[in-house]
Amino acid sequence: MNTIAKSEKSDIALIAERITNAVMEHRLPPGVKLAEERLAEAFKVSRTKVRHALTVLAKEGLVTLYPNRGAFVASPSVQDARELFATRRLLEPEVVRKVIDRAGKAELRRLRAHIAKEAEARLANDRRAVIKLSGEFHMLLAKLSGNPYISKLMDELCPLTCLIIALYDSPQTPACPEDEHIRIVEAIELKDEATAVSLMLHHLQHVENELKLSVDEKVDIDWEKMFA
Ligand SMILES: [Zn+2]
């Protein structure tokens, strides 16, 4: 990767970003093949650049590369989904605490503006935008926390969460329940750390509970009866 020229690097980042956006908006479903030549045509770039972008996304877990078969949008397992939410429950209370510590008027305005965009997308029934904006709310909070490591992790975990929602959510349930982001921001504005942290934990648990993550659990299948 270090042999790539600077201008190419930005191309690669752009391709990776656009594929990530498509995943976040559920336009690219889990398990879909990402054919290099078709992406190269779509982005009007070389296949080499596409390959590099797919390698970047594979490192983030959003894409799975199979030898001789190519790249596919990842399909996180139920176990992956549970581990991901467990990780977010570790990180995001710290995010909320740091945002309360640091956020001034400008930061609070950004959070409010984001929530307004979410409400707008909900009103327009734009499910793709709602899912993407829901994820981006958490990425914005992480960014405002001022911890670059957490922010980087959340930039990877949020698109993965969108993939998990695409896999395990029922189409009717929203990505993040409507008023929970607003209540978190209100607690942040009041600098009420205990409430903000508890709302965030409750929120993540709520999103996880909405998913159908019980499919991997042991079921008693009577094979003989089933195929009798
Ligand atoms: Zn949320």
Side-chain angles (χ1 to χ4, degrees), residues 1 49-60 63 65:
M1 283 292 270
K49 283 184 185 176
V50 169
R51 199 173 307 138
H52 281 303
L54 293 173
T55 310
V56 170
L57 293 172
K59 278 191 189 140
E60 292 173 5
V63 161
L65 302 173

Side-chain angles (χ1 to χ4, degrees), residues 88 118 134-135 137-138 175-177 181 184 200 203-204 207:
R88 289 189 56 175
E118 278 188 59
S134 291
F137 171 75
H138 294 266
C176 287
H181 288 176
I184 292 168
M200 177 57 90
H203 174 57
L204 291 172
V207 176

Side-chain angles (χ1 to χ4, degrees), residues 103-172:
K105 273 192 181 143
E107 287 76 20
L108 292 174
R109 258 202 307 276
R110 277 184 78 181
L111 284 171
R112 280 278 174 194
H114 189 91
I115 278 172
K117 266 203 258 173
E118 278 188 59
E120 225 171 85
R122 278 205 167 88
L123 212 62
N125 243 331
D126 186 347
R127 184 168 160 79
R128 278 178 181 166
V130 169
I131 292 166
K132 184 161 174 274
L133 287 166
S134 291
E136 283 172 353
F137 171 75
H138 294 266
M139 286 152 82
L140 175 62
L141 271 181
K143 199 173 166 197
L144 297 179
S145 81
N147 181 327
Y149 303 106
I150 291 185
S151 182
K152 188 168 173 274
L153 270 172
M154 288 297 293
D155 280 352
E156 292 180 13
L157 295 181
C158 287
L160 272 175
T161 309
C162 286
L163 250 192
I164 286 164
I165 288 169
L167 266 173
Y168 300 107
D169 203 6
S170 62
Q172 293 78 24

Side-chain angles (χ1 to χ4, degrees), residues 79 84 98 129 145 155 167 178 188 201 211 226:
Q79 186 62 21
L84 182 135
K98 297 253 335 204
S145 81
D155 280 352
L167 266 173
E178 201 165 352
I188 289 172
L201 285 172
L211 304 176
M226 183 181 280

